[in-house]
Amino acid sequence: MVNSPIKSPLSDADKEITGNALQATLVDLVDLSLIAKQAHWNVVGKNFRSAHLQLDELVATARQYTDEVAERANAIGISPNGKAKTVVESSGAPDYPDNWQSVETAVAAIVDTLATLIQRLRKRIDETDKSDLVTQDLLIEITRALEEAHWMWQAQQA
């Protein structure tokens, strides 16, 4: 690892725990934005327009928090890595199907993706409880936003 030009406010041990949580969150969010955009481009069927627009809202949320996570990593002396290869190798998001998907199939896949990523975020919230409360606060904020989106996507299945 290259020495960071940024002095970290954290101890080396806390920086490692926190940096790992931020990096894992970064790749999950990058993947979420790509999955939601893939779904946006390929959703078809009844209620297409509302699902199409709601998917763009999810992309915007994922991209916003991707940037905030990367900037938090930089602030504690961790170089964020959101390259495609890194995302492919380390994202915890479930695979999204290829080709056109009905609104029902797309909604179910997005509900599953969000549930998985929320579970992973909640684990990182616990992991950062002692290492960095500032990062934990950011992870809580992201989880809140994704849980709200999860609820709205589930409401479409009801």
Side-chain angles (χ1 to χ4, degrees):
M1 178 187 276
V2 175
N3 262 349
S4 172
I6 308 302
K7 280 279 198 203
S8 180
L10 305 177
S11 71
D12 287 345
D14 288 346
K15 179 179 166 183
E16 182 176 354
I17 292 165
T18 304
N20 289 341
L22 287 166
Q23 180 60 39
T25 301
L26 178 70
V27 297
D28 283 356
L29 289 171
V30 169
D31 204 12
L32 175 60
S33 72
L34 295 171
I35 289 167
K37 196 47 107 165
Q38 177 70 17
H40 168 86
W41 293 325
N42 287 287
V43 66
V44 294
K46 189 175 179 183
N47 299 319
F48 155 80
R49 182 158 171 74
S50 62
H52 183 75
L53 295 174
Q54 191 175 3
L55 285 160
D56 259 350
E57 291 172 5
L58 185 57
V59 169
T61 298
R63 287 180 178 168
Q64 171 194 339
Y65 286 117
T66 297
D67 198 47
E68 290 184 30
V69 166
E71 289 176 356
R72 179 66 192 150
N74 273 308
I76 64 164
I78 299 290
S79 175
N81 184 341
K83 296 186 298 185
K85 179 180 178 182
T86 304
V87 173
V88 167
E89 291 173 349
S90 54
S91 172
D95 192 31
Y96 188 84
D98 292 338
N99 299 313
W100 292 287
Q101 300 298 316
S102 69
V103 170
E104 295 78 15
T105 302
V107 168
I110 293 299
V111 166
D112 184 46
T113 298
L114 287 170
T116 299
L117 297 184
I118 289 165
Q119 181 181 35
R120 290 170 56 85
L121 274 162
R122 285 185 162 274
K123 182 178 178 214
R124 291 181 207 126
I125 289 169
D126 289 341
E127 291 169 354
T128 55
D129 184 51
K130 299 286 187 242
S131 67
D132 183 32
L133 294 177
V134 176
T135 295
Q136 184 189 51
D137 186 55
L138 176 58
L139 297 177
I140 290 168
E141 180 184 337
I142 296 165
T143 303
R144 183 213 46 82
L146 294 187
E147 285 180 349
E148 180 179 14
H150 188 235
W151 153 60
M152 291 186 177
W153 284 99
Q154 288 179 88
Q156 291 191 46
Q157 293 178 310

